[in-house]
């Protein structure tokens, strides 16, 4: 319900809700005059003399017809088993809600207040007080009869009384008194500050914070009083207790009610007519503030203007504030409306952040308090954040948040991929999220989207970004998508650009994933790709390179020869020599390295090597002849004569 006029920039401390159900119907025909709160139920008094018992949600559970005129006050004991009621026509009733015992009395003047001993249910504490023009104490004696004694009179009408433990506090026209029922001593008199204000128009508000701290609000002043014990040396003829005012200050408003909130105060107030610090439209509304009392002043923590029903017709005396200590609930009572205020929880905090579009803060708050939040889910908040970022056009940030928010939810991932494709931002989400997300989750099999999703993404990159496409192929395991589908797509693109090295390399990688190593090898050799040797070794492709030895040596002679020599059991020396017969310069390199490794393995080719050394490597010819034992001298001389005549060699040294 729209109860609060709140500051749009500052988060409220309390949340509000109208007490409805049975209350709505009651207040349509009648008007609230007072209410008392118990942790288990509520007791509402009306101007037509009715008392209604309600559950915490405002549903009617019981009704009492007490008087034809206004109910002034209702009192409950701690147990919630006994109730005291007084009315404007002088009636006083005290009775058990679940027993037949009761007290009924009619006075010849209005009775304004009534208060039961907090432990009234116990037989030792059958005591209550009433107040009109005097404060009367009723006690049950041992004969089970009520005995009456006057605690105070002569200072005007008693307008408020509050009983806590052994202490009774009451207010009359002159001030506030406190009486100790255990010692039967009056221990203080706190004088009223602003005597110019009519006490019937601006009544005193009293509230016990605990068994020894009384909060007094009257007119525009607030006092916090602490009841303390006197030392034995101080007693003499003085009461055993005294009151110290620990905080006293003036406010800018008229107080209608007070209640504690930890070390702070909740104040219900009526704005002064001459106040110039509030806008005109708020002047007649009651306000609920949280303030921090100081020794001689206060600090405002929060302030809410309340739009209660018929607020335009109400005055300061028409409002009351009651609170439930157990639940930290605060009830704002006015003649035609009852509003419940309670402290905001983490769910409310997140509501406010979301309403203000502070999504990142809301997400952080939900993550920190995920065990305590009841109405919100971290992932739903994250999705709202992503939606907000997309609507703003901040696609980079939205994509970055996907990995954290979507986690391992396959359906959400697929939805986001389709959404980013629809808005033409698929590359953004891919570049910023899926590469890292997939590499993080897929190796463990935690997250796997449908192959169609990956294929859609790959096609998207293939259309406009070959490098990005190649990166995805390298990063993603081949089983994520239908390999043949992507091979066909790459092949189609190569028809338009047959020499594109990026596409060719990627196609080779796809063939490798598909174990079509011979096709991959052809491309690597064509491109002179550095990975060709690794591919041969890793997949034992020596049978596939027997007819490609020249290509391998043209690419990298040293690596090719080392590989051939290391694997002569797979490609024989004779096969290599046969393949290199038309490339004597490459044959020499191969046979030279073979000879360096083993003087005997290539002995059948030593005679041929004489000519190869003479043609391509003369400095190593004599060392070769010296070390080889497989070249007959006459053949060496014959080769030398041929070599000298063909190469203009004039000098040859023999050893």
């Amino acid at each position: 319900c729209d109860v609060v006029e709140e500051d749009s920039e500052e988060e409220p401390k309390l949340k509000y809700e109208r007490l409805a159900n049975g209350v709505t119907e009651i207040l349509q025909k009648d008007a609230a005059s007072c209410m008392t709160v118990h942790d288990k139920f509520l007791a509402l008094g009306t101007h037509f003399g009715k008392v209604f018992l309600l559950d915490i949600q405002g549903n009617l559970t019981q009704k009492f017809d007490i008087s034809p005129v206004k109910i002034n006050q209702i009192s409950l004991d701690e147990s919630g088993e006994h109730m005291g009621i007084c009315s404007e026509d002088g009636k006083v009733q005290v009775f058990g809600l679940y027993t037949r015992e009761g007290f009924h009395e009619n006075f010849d003047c209005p009775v304004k207040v009534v208060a039961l001993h907090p432990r009234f249910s116990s037989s030792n504490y059958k005591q209550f007080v009433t107040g009109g023009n005097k404060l009367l104490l009723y006690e049950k004696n041992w004969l089970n009869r009520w005995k009456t004694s006057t605690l105070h009179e002569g200072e005007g009408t008693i307008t408020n009384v509050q009983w806590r433990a052994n202490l009774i506090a009451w207010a009359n026209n002159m001030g506030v008194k406190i009486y100790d029922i255990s010692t039967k001593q009056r221990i203080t008199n706190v004088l009223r500050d602003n005597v110019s204000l009519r006490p019937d128009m601006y009544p005193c508000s009293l509230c016990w914070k605990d068994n020894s701290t009384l909060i007094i609000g009257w007119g525009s002043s607030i006092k916090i009083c602490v009841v303390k014990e006197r030392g034995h040396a101080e007693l003499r003829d003085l009461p055993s207790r005294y009151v110290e005012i620990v905080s006293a200050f003036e406010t800018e408003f008229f107080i209608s009610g007070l209640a504690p909130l930890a070390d702070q105060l909740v104040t219900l107030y009526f704005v002064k007519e001459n106040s110039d610090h509030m806008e005109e439209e708020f002047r007649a509304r009651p306000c609920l503030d949280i303030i921090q009392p100081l020794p001689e002043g206060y600090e405002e923590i929060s302030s809410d203007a309340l739009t209660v029903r018929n607020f335009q017709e109400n005055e300061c005396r028409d409002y009351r504030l009651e609170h439930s200590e157990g639940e930290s609930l605060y009830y704002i009572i006015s003649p035609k409306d009852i509003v419940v205020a309670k402290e905001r929880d983490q769910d409310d905090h997140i509501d406010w952040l979301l309403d203000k579009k502070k999504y990142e803060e809301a997400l952080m708050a939900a993550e920190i308090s995920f065990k305590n939040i009841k109405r919100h889910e971290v992932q739903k908040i994250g999705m709202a954040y992503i939606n907000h970022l997309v609507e703003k056009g901040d696609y980079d940030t939205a994509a970055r948040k996907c990995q954290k928010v979507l986690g391992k939810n396959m359906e959400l991932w697929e939805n986001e991929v389709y959404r980013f494709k629809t808005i033409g931002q698929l590359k953004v989400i891919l570049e910023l999220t899926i590469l890292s997300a997939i590499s993080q989750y897929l190796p463990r099999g935690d997250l796997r989207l449908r192959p169609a999703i990956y294929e859609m993404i790959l096609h998207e990159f293939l259309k406009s970004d070959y490098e990005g496409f190649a990166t995805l192929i390298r990063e993603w395991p081949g089983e994520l998508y239908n390999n043949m589908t992507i091979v066909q797509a790459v092949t189609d693109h190569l028809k338009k650009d047959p020499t594109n090295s990026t596409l060719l390399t990627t196609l080779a990688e796809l063939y490798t994933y598909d174990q079509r190593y011979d096709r991959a090898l052809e491309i690597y050799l064509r491109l002179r790709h550095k990975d060709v040797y690794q591919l041969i070794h890793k997949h034992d492709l020596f049978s596939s390179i027997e007819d490609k030895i020249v290509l391998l040596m043209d690419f990298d002679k040293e690596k090719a020869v080392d590989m051939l020599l290391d694997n002569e059991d797979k490609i024989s020396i004779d096969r290599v020599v046969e393949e290199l017969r038309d490339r004597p310069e490459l044959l020499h390199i191969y046979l030279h390295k073979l000879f360096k490794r083993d003087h005997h393995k290539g002995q059948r080719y030593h005679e041929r090597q004489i000519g190869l050394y003479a043609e391509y490597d003369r400095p190593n010819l004599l060392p070769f002849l010296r070390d080889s034992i497989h070249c007959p001298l006459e053949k060496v001389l014959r080769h030398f004569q041929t070599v000298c005549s063909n190469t203009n060699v004039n000098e040859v040294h023999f050893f």
Side-chain angles (χ1 to χ4, degrees), residues 34-80:
C34 61
M35 192 171 87
T36 298
V37 176
H38 190 270
D39 288 346
K40 299 176 183 176
F41 64 95
L42 313 173
L44 172 65
T46 72
H47 280 260
F48 290 173
K50 308 291 190 297
V51 172
F52 299 92
L53 298 189
L54 312 162
D55 64 17
I56 301 302
Q57 286 75 40
N59 297 298
L60 178 63
T61 61
Q62 205 167 353
K63 173 185 173 183
F64 301 94
D65 288 310
I66 303 298
S67 166
V69 295
K70 184 173 78 165
I71 303 297
N72 284 327
Q73 190 164 5
I74 303 170
S75 176
L76 297 168
D77 67 348
E78 289 176 349
S79 69

Side-chain angles (χ1 to χ4, degrees), residues 418-575:
Y418 278 120
R419 173 161 68 165
F420 272 71
K421 182 180 187 300
T422 301
I423 60 178
Q425 296 294 327
L426 186 58
K427 286 184 65 176
V428 174
I429 192 171
L430 264 295
E431 290 167 359
L432 294 173
T433 64
I434 286 188
L435 292 181
S436 57
I438 294 300
S439 62
Q440 179 179 353
Y441 294 123
L442 276 183
R444 300 196 302 271
D446 292 340
L447 176 66
R448 184 150 308 183
L449 310 182
R450 290 181 294 110
I453 299 295
Y454 298 100
E455 290 163 19
M456 178 186 73
I457 294 164
L458 290 171
H459 282 296
E460 190 73 20
F461 273 78
L462 188 56
K463 286 193 292 187
S464 59
D465 184 357
Y466 289 163
E467 292 296 334
F469 173 77
T471 300
L472 291 177
I473 294 298
R474 284 194 300 272
E475 295 285 341
W476 288 357
E479 64 268 18
L480 288 179
Y481 46 86
N482 186 315
N483 198 65
M484 290 308 298
T485 300
I486 304 304
V487 166
Q488 185 59 52
V490 176
T491 304
D492 291 342
H493 276 263
L494 280 170
K495 291 176 182 177
K496 307 170 193 171
D497 190 1
T499 61
N500 188 288
S501 60
T502 300
L503 284 182
L504 286 167
T505 302
T506 306
L507 183 59
E509 291 173 357
L510 289 167
Y511 281 139
T512 302
Y513 291 147
D514 206 28
Q515 298 183 3
R516 296 161 70 181
Y517 303 119
D518 54 337
R519 303 293 296 273
L521 184 61
E522 288 178 11
I523 296 173
Y524 279 142
L525 286 171
R526 175 180 167 187
L527 294 174
R528 296 174 173 261
H529 197 282
K530 61 181 178 59
D531 290 343
V532 66
Y533 299 102
Q534 180 185 349
L535 181 72
I536 294 167
H537 279 290
K538 185 175 180 180
H539 300 291
D540 195 16
L541 302 180
F542 295 97
S543 61
S544 300
I545 64 169
E546 288 182 350
D547 59 347
K548 299 177 178 64
I549 293 172
V550 173
L551 288 174
L552 285 167
M553 290 195 67
D554 280 339
F555 175 30
D556 189 324
K557 299 177 181 64
E558 293 296 324
K559 276 189 177 182
V561 170
D562 286 340
M563 181 187 70
L564 292 168
L565 294 177
D566 290 341
N567 296 275
E568 62 181 81
D569 58 323
K570 298 171 182 174
I571 302 182
S572 67
I573 296 171
D574 293 340
R575 181 57 191 266

